[in-house]
């Protein structure tokens, strides 16, 4: 099995000075799929690594991705167009295509920067003002949470052999045939491969976390069909300390066949490290 | 003064069949600015109209925009690259440039569709499932709300002569020198030009509404500097009935110099018509 670093590797690329268009080669690895299709967060991690590499800044700050076609393992070509390179941030358009068929898999817009850089000058006062109107979800110890392996005979997607997700027992109802009635999932997330500390402490694992939970709506309806994501936006608010990520994803509005899924992600130091929102289609009755 | 339809006009464009790249001409009108720079929501409305026109579907469904440079009145050129045209949706990348300097003003990714089209086939059951876990904000009658003209001697941006925003009196503290301490603004929104009913009942005015409120953080700090938006994502969840839009925008996290602003927007029939989230930089101390 490939490490996370290997599974998100992008080809050594022409230097940043080569802009404004960069071509990056990568490969969708085996074993990151759900029913044969690569997980959306895994695709984000590949795209995020391509974007930070091409634009020459270490962290994804904000990335929005539209999911255009399901993807299977194999080579992909990623085209990045630099739109602006400023003092603190660079922004680019990204398109990931199947390298054989040239069909577009995902398309993004993203801004990258350096979340570790001290904020100086006119921005320093702004950076000093803090407001945190929420707390990490109250979760039992990971070992006291529900795991996908607890599902017994049910199909467990290969994706869950790459990521370790522990569900709050109060939210795991839908996995035991008893939806809770509340379209919310809380739980812990970490990569099973904790190997490369530089990558583990980057924003890349967070890009996997933001799409690692099953559809929230599974706790509100017996419909178990695929809920296609149209668009997912991740805001990376901090670099995580190594360890578990405490996650909460929830849905407040299902209307006209659309629903949003809002996520908050906290590291073990209690720092908010990411927010996410996706717009998805309500699941079809399979 | 130009009507909203005129202020967001885009050039009659080569047909949809001309894809995948479209060039659209438009003009940033006078009188939509705040301190000389065009309001971000107004720019979204121009971009949204260009996107729906080029991709040949009537409604913006999801649009994410990164703000790269402030914009002043004058001609702009908009380049749209079609990424996919499916059964229900089309998706494209968009770049808006100053037509004289060719500097990039904004860049977007968006998906367009038809919010009025009946959902049929396999999606029909999904579209029938509804969940609405919130209500429109409880607002006084528009005439009992705080208006920008109530600010007396203070500078009122020209933008507010294009849009009519009525602030909940409980949230208008910052406008009277007494921040409420809660980074939330509730109020009514409508275009002052209610003329073109086809455009008024489209998603375009909502794209203005999502960026029509002052920074929420003005109610939490005495800092009154510019809070630059890095990125704004709008999900258009329904076509509004003509009338006022009830709005609530709030911030929960200001960390490391970044903050998010989350918006919910409801029409007079009580329908959720839009959700928005932006990632902004905390305001500098001017």
């Amino acid at each position: 099995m490939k490490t996370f670093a290997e599974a998100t590797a992008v080809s050594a690329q022409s230097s940043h000075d080569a802009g404004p268009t960069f071509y990056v080669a990568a490969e969708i690895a085996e074993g990151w799929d759900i029913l044969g299709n690569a997980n959306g967060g895994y695709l984000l991690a590949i795209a995020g690594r391509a974007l930070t590499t091409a634009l020459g800044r270490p962290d994804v700050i904000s990335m929005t991705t539209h999911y255009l076609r399901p993807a299977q393992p194999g080579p992909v070509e990623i085209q990045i167009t630099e739109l602006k390179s400023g003092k603190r941030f660079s922004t680019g358009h990204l398109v990931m295509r199947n390298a054989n068929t040239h069909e577009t898999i995902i398309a993004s817009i993203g801004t990258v920067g350096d979340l570790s850089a001290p904020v100086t000058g006119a921005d320093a006062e702004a950076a000093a003002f803090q407001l945190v109107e929420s707390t990490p979800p109250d979760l039992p110890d990971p070992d006291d949470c529900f795991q996908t392996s607890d599902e017994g005979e049910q199909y467990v997607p290969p994706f869950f052999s790459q990521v370790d997700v522990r569900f709050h027992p109060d939210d795991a109802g839908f996995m035991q045939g008893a939806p809770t009635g509340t379209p919310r999932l809380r739980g812990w997330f970490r990569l099973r491969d904790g190997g490369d500390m530089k990558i583990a402490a980057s924003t890349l694992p967070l890009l996997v976390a933001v799409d690692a939970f099953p559809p929230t709506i599974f706790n509100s309806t017996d419909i178990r069909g695929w809920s296609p994501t149209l668009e997912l936006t991740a805001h990376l608010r901090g670099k995580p300390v190594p360890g578990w990520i405490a996650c909460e994803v929830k849905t407040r509005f299902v209307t006209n066949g659309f629903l949003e899924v809002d996520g908050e992600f906290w590291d073990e130091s209690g720092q908010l490290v990411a927010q996410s929102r996706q717009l998805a289609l309500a699941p079809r009755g399979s």
Side-chain angles (χ1 to χ4, degrees), chain A residues 13-80:
Chain A
Q13 206 28 49
S14 48
S15 81
H16 176 58
D17 297 336
T21 303
F22 305 85
Y23 294 92
V24 180
E27 182 153 346
I28 298 173
E30 303 272 354
W32 284 83
D33 65 294
I34 295 171
L35 289 167
N37 296 322
N39 166 263
Y42 168 54
L43 296 178
L44 284 190
I46 297 174
R49 196 161 170 193
L51 197 66
T52 53
T53 303
L55 301 186
R57 301 189 192 256
D59 299 310
V60 174
I61 304 290
S62 171
M63 189 158 163
T64 293
T65 300
H66 288 237
Y67 290 85
L68 304 177
R69 281 185 192 81
Q72 290 80 40
V76 294
E77 53 189 23
I78 300 170
Q79 179 181 337
I80 291 168

Side-chain angles (χ1 to χ4, degrees), chain A residues 246-268:
Chain A
C247 314
E248 177 167 4
V249 293
K250 66 182 176 187
T251 295
R252 295 171 62 233
F253 302 103
V254 186
T255 58
N256 302 325
F258 296 93
L259 59 101
E260 90 289 348
V261 181
D262 284 350
E264 284 175 19
F265 304 86
W266 309 76
D267 71 8
E268 285 194 34

Side-chain angles (χ1 to χ4, degrees), chain A residues 65 68 71 82 86 125 142 144 222 252 257:
Chain A
T65 300
L68 304 177
E82 184 176 278
E125 183 184 0
D144 297 326
D222 287 327
R252 295 171 62 233

Side-chain angles (χ1 to χ4, degrees), chain A residues 114-255:
Chain A
D114 185 352
L115 284 170
S116 304
V119 180
T120 57
D123 288 332
E125 183 184 0
F129 181 81
Q130 303 278 317
L131 176 84
V132 178
E133 286 217 340
S134 189
T135 54
D138 189 14
L139 296 171
D141 195 75
D143 288 339
D144 297 326
C145 284
F146 191 89
Q147 300 187 45
T148 49
S149 55
D150 296 335
E151 288 197 82
E153 297 297 302
Q154 293 210 40
Y155 167 78
V156 177
F159 173 64
F160 289 108
S161 60
Q162 310 288 350
V163 300
D164 192 354
V165 176
R166 309 289 178 94
F167 299 88
H168 193 304
D170 291 353
D171 301 344
F174 77 95
M175 302 171 84
Q176 299 156 297
T180 63
T182 302
R184 177 178 64 164
L185 294 169
R186 292 162 296 176
W188 300 104
F189 167 93
R190 69 177 177 191
L191 296 173
R192 291 192 189 271
D193 163 32
D196 185 324
M197 273 305 122
K198 188 160 166 242
I199 286 186
S202 75
T203 46
L204 293 182
L206 299 175
L207 291 173
V208 183
V210 297
D211 198 32
F213 283 77
T216 50
I217 197 176
F218 285 1
N219 263 334
S220 288
T221 159
D222 287 327
I223 300 175
R224 283 290 166 280
W226 181 38
S227 178
T229 300
L230 290 184
E231 176 264 318
L232 189 154
T233 295
H235 293 171
L236 292 310
R237 300 289 292 261
K239 289 173 77 161
V241 300
W244 289 99
I245 304 293
C247 314
E248 177 167 4
V249 293
K250 66 182 176 187
T251 295
R252 295 171 62 233
F253 302 103
V254 186
T255 58

